[in-house]
Amino acid sequence: MGGKLLENMDFRARFLTYKQTESYDESAFAVYVQSERGYERVCAPQEGACAYECVYLNISPANTDILKPEVVDAFIRETYDKYYERFPESFGKELVGFFTDEPQYYRAATPYSDEAAKVFASRGKDIKDGLIWLFKENEKGYAFRVEYYRTLNELYVQNFYKKVYDWCEAHGCMLTGHSIEEAGIAAQMLGGAGCMPTYEYEHIPGIDHLCRDCSSELAPKQLGSVGAQLGKKFLLTETFACGGYDTTPKELKSIGDFQYFNGANMTCQHLYPYSMSAQGKFDHPPFFSPQSNWFEEFKAFNDYFTRLGHLVSNTADRYDVAILHPLRNVYLYYVWGGKNELVVAFENDFKALMSTLRKNGVTYQFIDEALLKKYGRLEGDALVLGNCKYDKIIIPKMENISAETYELFQAYTGKLCALSSFSYIDGKPATAYLPSNATLEEFIDGVEWRYMQKGVRYAVNEELALTGLPANHSERAFPQHLLIETDGEKIFYALDGAWFLNETYLALKNAELSLLVLDCTCGDYTGDYRIGELYQTPIASGETVREEKVEHALTDEAVTGVLRIRAKGLRALELRLREKDGKYALLTLKDGEWVFDRSRVAESIVGVEKDEDSLAGIRRMPFGGGEELTVVLDEFSVEIFENGKALSSTVYPAVYASGICLTVDADECVYIREKIEE
């Protein structure tokens, strides 16, 4: 635009400032003196007055007033219409839509718009009568502040977002982008006094996620809530900016996963600069252009989020718990540039509530009061908002509620947990009480925790079942892989690493998978790209040199079993009995004699060992005549080598439940897992 709209002074943004003077200032936009009611606007010097509270109207040299419809109309004529005049055949094809970035009213001071004055006038009010309350942190100003910022938000949504959205609708393209400062409740006061209502008027609603901070799910949760309620399939996050050049791909993946888990399903990476000359190298890195030191792997990174986004966007959100979003409570207290101690305390309480629910596994969505007024209704014991139905409502600690919301909840008969009563309705003093019939503890206790056991199938409901399978990782992090059954389909989702342990392989061997999703940590890789246990022949690439016979199904519980080793034709053999932490003991056959070396575990003991308790987990070690050995084990893996060449893979745990025997015939390169005969 090059500042074209700024040429019209009427289009420039307005903002307010304040100072106290000793005399009446005729240049002020509005002047007030103290009175019993708080402050009274005066239009002339007052006898006996020694202090005047003055509010001044200022004009920005660099910002337009997007709350004015004529400003947005002019913006559309100078930008959107120009694109359509030049490329009409491309709209809805290669020109899919437009991205709007951080539209906002004036944020560097107290915002003002002539359009708001018109709205107040239509209600029979003079907006100047109350402007002083935008600078005084006093409860007498609550009603004015609530009405003022609610008006600004409505103008923000209707006169900017809806106008641009309607134009895109009429021209066969889509609108996406994001508002500003979505990550905090009070922070949203800096741009439009609320972002959730704007999502109604974006084909692909979006947020902006800055830096590496994943401490609050507020922004993606707001996005996901409205997306589910209004049927918005795709939900975008502009993400990764301000992380710094040293942000690793692993960190970036975790940031993206966090947002996708909480509501987003589409990524717009910040940034792909054409050049890094001059200021280009400082534009809120990291960058994803060819200058990046991992640009060649960027496709694998994007492919992961494309697949994850496909899964998430084609999954229906079902929540029975909803939280009334408390933004309008901030309207009570908020003063631009003030101490805002009540705002800080309130937001900290709300963060604590979200943290408590998150840590206790309570999933939920937000209810915005503006959208509730438009799309909310009661249905039996449930509250319906668009496509979503909730029978458990949490009202956080808040003093203010709108009259429409209060009336609706008075008739609500589902589970209601109100963490406080209300002192104000639309900012006006009132005694408003919604009786709770549930406690937060009941909502938390209603969450059923199940610690998954390996190989056990858990039916979440009639349409969803999960089976946890282990990866090549610590058991403390179990499960790393999930077999998901839903709508007659089986999806295997590998969350941690690409190597499958034997038992995971066996569990999947006969499964007819609809989709296989592998973690992209390693990206595209050529060479040794095995996905099975090290040297595990049933699924390793290369020649199969061993066979497997399974005559008894494995159980979930790994306990004592028997390991039998046959080495009739060999004079040299090495076995490694490996513990979970990577330490191992050696059993070797050399010149017909078994030698036990535990130096890799603890102290060094080399020589013929016959002590039954010589190693934890090996409780009996009868050494035979040099040809066959029987060892009773707990949980150890076994690796077998002949003259430095691996004969079999790791088998971990080596043996399973009582009655299961693993026999390794090193001479014939065969291992057999079978049921021990009685």
Side-chain angles (χ1 to χ4, degrees):
M1 289 295 296
K4 187 173 182 62
L5 294 186
L6 294 173
E7 295 173 1
N8 187 332
M9 290 293 290
D10 290 339
F11 286 179
R12 294 190 180 187
R14 269 59 173 168
F15 62 95
L16 303 173
T17 54
Y18 158 85
K19 73 176 180 180
Q20 188 181 82
T21 63
E22 295 180 355
S23 59
Y24 182 85
D25 187 350
E26 293 184 353
S27 67
F29 188 55
V31 180
Y32 309 84
V33 295
Q34 279 192 305
S35 67
E36 293 181 357
R37 293 180 297 174
Y39 292 94
E40 181 179 348
R41 185 163 74 95
V42 297
C43 298
Q46 300 296 299
E47 184 177 350
C50 58
Y52 293 87
E53 315 290 334
C54 300
V55 174
Y56 298 88
L57 182 64
N58 306 269
I59 301 177
S60 169
N63 303 86
T64 55
D65 183 0
I66 64 170
L67 305 188
K68 281 188 171 184
E70 58 268 29
V71 172
V72 180
D73 289 340
F75 169 66
I76 291 173
R77 287 195 302 271
E78 295 295 335
T79 53
Y80 290 65
D81 284 345
K82 299 293 186 185
Y83 280 110
Y84 192 75
E85 289 172 7
R86 292 186 62 185
F87 311 107
E89 69 284 352
S90 297
F91 271 67
K93 299 176 182 177
E94 59 266 36
L95 204 164
V96 178
F98 291 87
F99 187 103
T100 184
D101 192 54
E102 300 183 356
Q104 57 194 269
Y105 52 50
Y106 193 82
R107 64 174 296 177
T110 302
Y112 180 80
S113 174
D114 293 338
E115 204 63 26
K118 294 178 184 177
V119 174
F120 270 70
S122 70
R123 300 170 185 160
K125 301 177 181 179
D126 188 337
I127 198 171
K128 290 184 178 181
D129 289 343
L131 293 178
I132 186 63
W133 296 118
L134 301 179
F135 300 91
K136 299 291 184 179
E137 296 184 51
N138 188 304
E139 65 183 67
K140 292 180 180 179
Y142 283 178
F144 179 83
R145 281 198 290 270
V146 169
E147 184 176 10
Y148 184 82
Y149 283 112
R150 181 172 175 174
T151 299
L152 292 193
N153 180 252
E154 291 170 352
L155 293 172
Y156 179 62
V157 173
Q158 294 295 319
N159 289 350
F160 181 81
Y161 273 95
K162 188 176 186 301
K163 276 184 169 291
V164 178
Y165 175 87
D166 288 346
W167 187 95
C168 291
E169 278 276 285
H171 292 79
C173 63
M174 295 190 290
L175 177 66
T176 188
H178 62 84
S179 189
I180 191 167
E181 304 289 1
E182 308 100 327
I185 298 179
Q188 294 179 43
M189 300 299 294
L190 293 173
C195 63
M196 288 181 70
T198 69
Y199 300 149
E200 179 181 2
Y201 297 113
E202 286 185 299
H203 297 87
I204 304 177
I207 59 172
D208 191 14
H209 189 280
L210 301 174
C211 305
R212 308 180 189 185
D213 182 24
C214 293
S215 62
S216 173
E217 63 270 41
L218 182 70
K221 185 73 77 173
Q222 291 172 158
L223 178 71
S225 299
V226 179
Q229 291 156 1
L230 300 188
K232 307 283 186 175
K233 181 174 182 178
F234 298 111
L235 303 168
L236 180 139
T237 173
E238 180 187 346
T239 189
F240 306 140
C242 303
Y245 282 115
D246 61 337
T247 313
T248 66
K250 185 176 181 180
E251 277 187 281
L252 295 173
K253 178 181 176 295
S254 69
I255 293 168
D257 286 342
F258 166 78
Q259 296 177 80
Y260 275 49
F261 178 80
N262 284 293
N265 59 39
M266 195 175 190
T267 301
C268 170
Q269 299 90 347
H270 184 290
L271 180 70
Y272 191 118
Y274 293 109
S275 169
M276 290 182 66
S277 64
Q279 291 296 315
K281 60 179 64 68
F282 306 114
D283 190 3
H284 308 91
F287 297 154
F288 305 99
S289 50
Q291 295 93 337
S292 167
N293 60 0
W294 57 284
F295 180 72
E296 292 184 0
E297 291 78 24
F298 191 44
K299 181 181 183 300
F301 182 86
N302 280 333
D303 286 347
Y304 167 79
F305 280 107
T306 298
R307 295 185 181 105
L308 181 59
H310 176 76
L311 289 174
V312 176
S313 63
N314 286 284
T315 301
D317 288 342
R318 295 181 181 175
Y319 294 82
D320 57 358
V321 178
I323 300 177
L324 181 65
H325 196 285
L327 177 64
R328 289 187 179 177
N329 198 68
V330 175
Y331 292 0
L332 281 181
Y333 315 130
Y334 180 76
V335 170
W336 190 97
K339 293 182 179 180
N340 288 311
E341 293 176 351
L342 291 176
V343 174
V344 173
F346 164 74
E347 188 147 16
N348 286 339
D349 280 343
F350 190 67
K351 288 178 180 178
L353 172 62
M354 290 194 295
S355 177
T356 297
L357 296 175
R358 178 176 65 250
K359 291 177 180 178
N360 287 281
V362 180
T363 57
Y364 60 88
Q365 291 178 329
F366 288 125
I367 293 174
D368 176 79
E369 290 196 67
L371 297 176
L372 181 65
K373 178 183 177 181
K374 190 171 183 179
Y375 296 106
R377 70 180 192 278
L378 299 180
E379 187 176 291
D381 289 337
L383 172 66
V384 177
L385 177 49
N387 298 326
C388 296
K389 180 183 290 189
Y390 312 101
D391 58 11
K392 300 179 182 67
I393 304 295
I394 299 173
I395 298 178
K397 293 179 181 178
M398 49 192 288
E399 292 189 273
N400 182 58
I401 190 171
S402 71
E404 302 93 342
T405 304
Y406 181 62
E407 181 179 357
L408 185 65
F409 279 128
Q410 280 185 308
Y412 172 71
T413 56
K415 294 290 185 181
L416 178 67
C417 172
L419 299 180
S420 66
S421 58
F422 304 103
S423 301
Y424 304 91
I425 294 180
D426 290 326
K428 301 172 184 177
T431 301
Y433 175 69
L434 292 174
S436 293
N437 57 15
T439 65
L440 193 61
E441 288 71 23
E442 288 179 83
F443 286 2
I444 292 173
D445 291 341
V447 177
E448 182 178 356
W449 286 86
R450 295 187 184 181
Y451 292 93
M452 301 185 75
Q453 302 297 318
K454 288 182 289 186
V456 177
R457 183 179 184 272
Y458 294 92
V460 180
N461 52 44
E462 294 181 356
E463 301 175 359
L464 176 64
L466 302 174
T467 303
L469 299 170
N472 186 29
H473 207 300
S474 168
E475 288 196 357
R476 292 191 300 271
F478 177 83
Q480 295 92 23
H481 299 326
L482 289 175
L483 179 61
I484 305 167
E485 300 174 64
T486 178
D487 294 331
E489 307 286 348
K490 289 186 178 180
I491 301 169
F492 181 70
Y493 189 55
L495 295 168
D496 186 14
W499 288 13
F500 299 166
L501 298 185
N502 291 346
E503 56 190 297
T504 297
Y505 160 70
L506 293 171
L508 296 174
K509 186 175 181 180
N510 297 315
E512 296 182 2
L513 298 178
S514 305
L515 180 65
L516 176 67
V517 182
L518 299 179
D519 190 291
C520 74
T521 303
C522 297
D524 292 334
Y525 190 78
T526 57
D528 184 5
Y529 53 89
R530 54 182 173 258
I531 61 172
E533 275 189 45
L534 190 59
Y535 306 119
Q536 172 55 44
T537 53
I539 55 175
S541 58
E543 182 182 357
T544 298
V545 295
R546 281 162 300 283
E547 63 185 54
E548 180 181 49
K549 299 178 182 178
V550 180
E551 300 182 10
H552 185 74
L554 303 184
T555 67
D556 306 313
E557 185 180 5
V559 295
T560 302
V562 177
L563 174 66
R564 294 195 183 120
I565 300 105
R566 299 171 185 159
K568 296 179 180 179
L570 297 177
R571 300 295 296 174
L573 181 67
E574 175 184 311
L575 297 94
R576 298 183 184 183
L577 306 182
R578 188 178 299 277
E579 296 184 90
K580 297 179 185 179
D581 59 4
K583 298 176 182 178
Y584 60 89
L586 289 180
L587 279 173
T588 59
L589 175 65
K590 186 176 182 181
D591 296 327
E593 182 177 60
W594 288 102
V595 179
F596 177 36
D597 176 6
R598 56 181 292 183
S599 60
R600 280 79 170 173
V601 178
E603 71 276 10
S604 177
I605 301 176
V606 180
V608 178
E609 179 69 59
K610 295 185 178 180
D611 182 356
E612 293 183 0
D613 298 315
S614 59
L615 178 65
I618 300 180
R619 294 198 291 273
R620 185 171 70 253
M621 291 183 57
F623 285 81
E627 293 184 346
E628 186 168 330
L629 174 66
T630 299
V631 183
V632 180
L633 301 172
D634 284 335
E635 292 186 75
F636 277 82
S637 59
V638 181
E639 297 168 281
I640 302 177
F641 297 82
E642 178 192 353
N643 298 327
K645 178 182 178 182
L647 293 181
S648 79
S649 72
T650 303
V651 182
Y652 182 84
V655 290
Y656 290 80
S658 300
I660 301 299
C661 172
L662 176 68
T663 300
V664 177
D665 191 328
D667 188 32
E668 298 181 7
C669 299
V670 174
Y671 67 87
I672 304 171
R673 188 182 292 119
E674 58 191 348
K675 182 176 177 63
I676 298 175
E677 298 295 336
E678 296 294 339

